[in-house]
Amino acid sequence: MSFINTQNSNGVLTITIDRLAQKNALSLEMYKDLTSALMMAEKDDTIKVAVIKGDTTCFTAGNDLNDFLKGGSLTEAHPTVIFLRALVSFSKPLIASVAGPAIGIGTTLLMHCDLVYSADNAVFQLPFSKLGLCPEAASSAILPKLTGRVKAFELLVLGNKFNADDALQFGLVNDVVSPEELNEKVESVALQIAQLPTLSVRASKGLIIDSQKESINEVISHELKYFEQLLGSDECKAIIAGFFKR
C-alpha cells in the first residue's frame, strides 16, 4: 500500500503524505514514492507546479526510525538520499502546505521548496542533537542564511519546537493562515503559478537556485558522513533504543 497519493489537475501535481495513523512518518518506501512523484512531475510537460502536503492536522513527524534503520548505509543508493537529491534538482516550482507537526525532515525539506504556506497549528522541530545526530538536507548551510548563525545553532542544536509565527519570522514560510484556509490558499497560489508563462517561471527558479545546487549537494554529502558516523555511535544507539521503549 502506498502512503503517497498524487493528483494532477489544471497543471498542478498535488503530492499528499497519507499515513496519519503513524503521524505521516516517512518510510523508505514513501521516500521512493516521493522521488517518483517528483520525477514524474519533472518529465510531464502538462505539470507546471507541484505541491507537497499532509493533512490539516499533520504534515509529517519525520523519519520512521524503525524503518530508516533498516535502510543500510547512507550511500547515494539510499532512498532518503535519492529523495534529497531529487528535491535539490527539481526544476519546477515546488510549494509546501504545512499543518500540524513538521518534525526533522518535515522542516528541512521546506528549505528546498520555493513557497511554503503554514497553518497556525503547525509545530516545527529539528531534534537532531536530541537524537544524538546532526543536521541533514543541507539545513546546516541553508538555515543560518535564513535566521543568522546564532538562531540556527539554537534551532539545530537545542532542537526546541517553534510555531508558525516563529517560522514566518525566520523566513521559513511565506504566510500563516488557519487550517481551514490552508488548502484554498495553496491551491490558489499554485493555480496562479500554473497560469504564468512556463519558460519564464522555470528560468526565474533556475536563476535563483542553480548557482547554489552544487554547494547544497556538497553540504548534503558532508552532513551524511557525520550523520552516519553518529548513527552508529553508542550514544545515538542508546537514545534510539530508549525511544522505541516508550
Side-chain angles (χ1 to χ4, degrees):
M1 176 180 178
S2 175
F3 295 104
I4 303 297
N5 302 322
T6 59
Q7 180 181 3
N8 183 3
S9 176
N10 297 315
V12 180
L13 180 71
T14 301
I15 305 167
T16 304
I17 306 169
D18 185 15
R19 196 191 184 199
L20 279 176
Q22 288 76 33
K23 296 183 179 179
N24 285 347
L26 298 175
S27 66
L28 298 179
E29 196 62 34
M30 291 167 73
Y31 275 117
K32 292 178 183 177
D33 290 342
L34 285 168
T35 302
S36 295
L38 290 177
M39 292 177 66
M40 176 184 70
E42 191 74 70
K43 295 176 182 177
D44 189 338
D45 290 339
T46 68
I47 295 173
K48 311 299 182 183
V49 57
V51 172
I52 185 166
K53 59 180 285 192
D55 181 76
T56 55
T57 62
C58 183
F59 185 58
T60 172
N63 283 319
D64 180 330
L65 281 177
N66 191 37
D67 194 58
F68 180 80
L69 293 172
K70 297 175 184 176
S73 298
L74 291 171
T75 66
E76 293 298 322
H78 194 285
T80 306
V81 179
I82 294 173
F83 169 69
L84 291 177
R85 300 301 191 196
L87 201 57
V88 174
S89 65
F90 191 64
S91 67
K92 297 181 181 181
L94 180 61
I95 304 173
S97 175
V98 186
I103 311 300
I105 188 70
T107 294
T108 58
L109 77 83
L110 304 179
M111 301 176 199
H112 300 277
C113 295
D114 302 295
L115 292 168
V116 181
Y117 294 95
S118 173
D120 56 22
N121 67 346
V123 178
F124 305 85
Q125 189 178 22
L126 299 160
F128 303 117
S129 292
K130 292 177 184 290
L131 293 171
L133 296 169
C134 67
E136 38 85 333
S139 57
S140 63
I142 298 172
L143 193 59
K145 292 180 180 178
L146 292 175
T147 67
R149 189 183 73 83
V150 295
K151 177 57 71 172
F153 186 92
E154 176 187 326
L155 297 175
L156 290 167
V157 177
L158 293 183
N160 296 325
K161 295 177 180 178
F162 57 98
N163 62 29
D165 288 334
D166 293 329
L168 182 63
Q169 178 185 342
F170 300 154
L172 191 62
V173 307
N174 293 86
D175 197 8
V176 178
V177 298
S178 71
E180 295 77 19
E181 296 171 311
L182 183 61
N183 286 334
E184 183 179 351
K185 172 72 174 182
V186 172
E187 182 180 352
S188 173
V189 175
L191 288 173
Q192 182 181 349
I193 293 174
Q195 292 166 7
L196 292 170
T198 302
L199 293 179
S200 173
V201 171
R202 294 186 68 173
S204 296
K205 173 165 180 170
L207 288 166
I208 292 168
I209 193 64
D210 279 356
S211 63
Q212 304 173 48
K213 282 184 181 179
E214 185 176 351
S215 61
I216 287 173
N217 276 314
E218 287 176 357
V219 172
I220 288 173
S221 297
H222 194 52
E223 289 173 342
L224 286 170
K225 291 178 183 178
Y226 279 101
F227 198 97
E228 186 154 34
Q229 289 173 10
L230 291 167
L231 197 60
S233 70
D234 291 340
E235 189 175 41
C236 180
K237 287 178 180 178
I239 293 170
I240 291 176
F243 179 85
F244 287 130
K245 289 178 181 177
R246 294 177 187 175

